[in-house]
């Protein structure tokens, strides 16, 4: 695809109320990636937890080499832009991290601001994001995950402060994972640029998340969990009939 990162950036902007949020399914392998592309989605965003499960690892325990190999299998199986969740970056320097993501064929990257369940210093993380953006030279769409809600900080001001630092450091989009839906309008009013929100079963619909302020909606490992529930149901049917 020509200028895939430009395509991915364009998908995040100019989304009026009538268009709704950008919906990015999360493939965990080549087969799921092809299924999502065939369904008509214009881009994909890998979830590290789902990729880990597909490889037989707990979330956060996938070796970097296996994660990048899995991302490469996904990107080469589709023609749409792919953003890769690389957790905290596996301890790689910005230049090496960017090189490995690009070598794997991804044009976007998702980076977390906590490690081992502990929030990182936001200014240090902003410097890290700035380094990644500089090393990429515009070749990667940088989605900065904000983990404050996930780590038990319920005050929206913490998420807002972190998000604003990350946008200032060059992040293309921020992702306050676990944000309560009722906080979304406040975050939308205080944060410049695209806002990534996770869809959760039983929560607001994708369209409602867009109305509340989401620019982009992702699913984490949720779609894989639904697929595996279907597999277990099929397995049960086959077992009962044998």
């Amino acid at each position: 695809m020509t200028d895939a990162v430009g395509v991915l950036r364009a998908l995040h902007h100019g989304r009026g109320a009538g268009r709704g949020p950008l919906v990015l399914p999360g493939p965990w392998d080549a087969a799921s990636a092809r299924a999502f592309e065939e369904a008509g989605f214009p881009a994909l965003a890998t979830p590290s937890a789902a990729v880990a499960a597909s490889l037989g690892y707990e979330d956060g325990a996938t070796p970097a080499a296996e994660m990048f190999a899995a991302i490469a299998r996904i990107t080469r199986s589709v023609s749409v832009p792919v953003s890769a969740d690389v957790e905290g970056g596996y301890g790689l320097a910005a230049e090496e991290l960017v090189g490995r993501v690009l070598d794997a064929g991804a044009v976007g990257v998702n980076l977390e601001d906590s490690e081992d369940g502990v929030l990182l210093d936001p200014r240090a993380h902003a410097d890290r994001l700035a380094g990644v953006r500089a090393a990429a030279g515009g070749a990667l769409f940088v989605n900065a995950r904000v983990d404050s809600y996930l780590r038990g900080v319920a005050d929206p001001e913490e998420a807002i402060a972190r998000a604003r630092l990350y946008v200032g450091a060059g992040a293309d989009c921020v992702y306050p994972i676990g944000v309560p839906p009722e906080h979304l309008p406040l975050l939308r009013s205080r944060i410049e640029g695209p806002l990534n929100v996770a869809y959760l079963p039983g929560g607001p619909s994708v369209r409602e998340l867009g109305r509340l302020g989401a620019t982009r909606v992702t699913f984490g490992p949720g779609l894989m969990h639904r697929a595996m529930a279907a597999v277990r149901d099929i397995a049960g049917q086959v077992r009962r009939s044998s």
Side-chain angles (χ1 to χ4, degrees), residues 5 18 36 42 51 59-60 71 77 79 81 86 90 93 124 128 132-133 150 152 159-160 173 188 195 218 220 225 233:
V5 70
F36 292 136
V51 174
D59 186 19
I71 292 165
S77 72
S79 61
V86 294
Y90 308 111
R128 163 81 158 159
V132 168
R133 185 60 189 263
L150 184 65
I160 290 167
C173 183
R188 175 68 287 162
L195 191 63
T218 52
H225 291 161
D233 183 58

Side-chain angles (χ1 to χ4, degrees), residues 5-6 8 16 26 32 35 41 63 86 90 93 102 124 126 148 151 177 179 182 185 192 216:
V5 70
L8 185 59
S32 59
F41 291 100
V86 294
Y90 308 111
L102 293 175
S148 53
R151 303 307 175 198
I177 187 169
V179 57
E182 62 270 21
E192 294 292 330
R216 144 178 167 169

Side-chain angles (χ1 to χ4, degrees), residues 135-181:
L140 284 179
F141 183 96
V142 178
N143 188 40
R145 203 176 88 174
V146 178
D147 287 2
S148 53
Y149 288 108
L150 184 65
R151 303 307 175 198
V153 182
D155 185 353
E157 294 298 332
E158 178 69 20
I160 290 167
R162 285 175 174 268
R164 289 168 66 96
L165 276 173
Y166 303 160
V167 170
D172 293 281
C173 183
V174 291
Y175 176 17
I177 187 169
V179 57

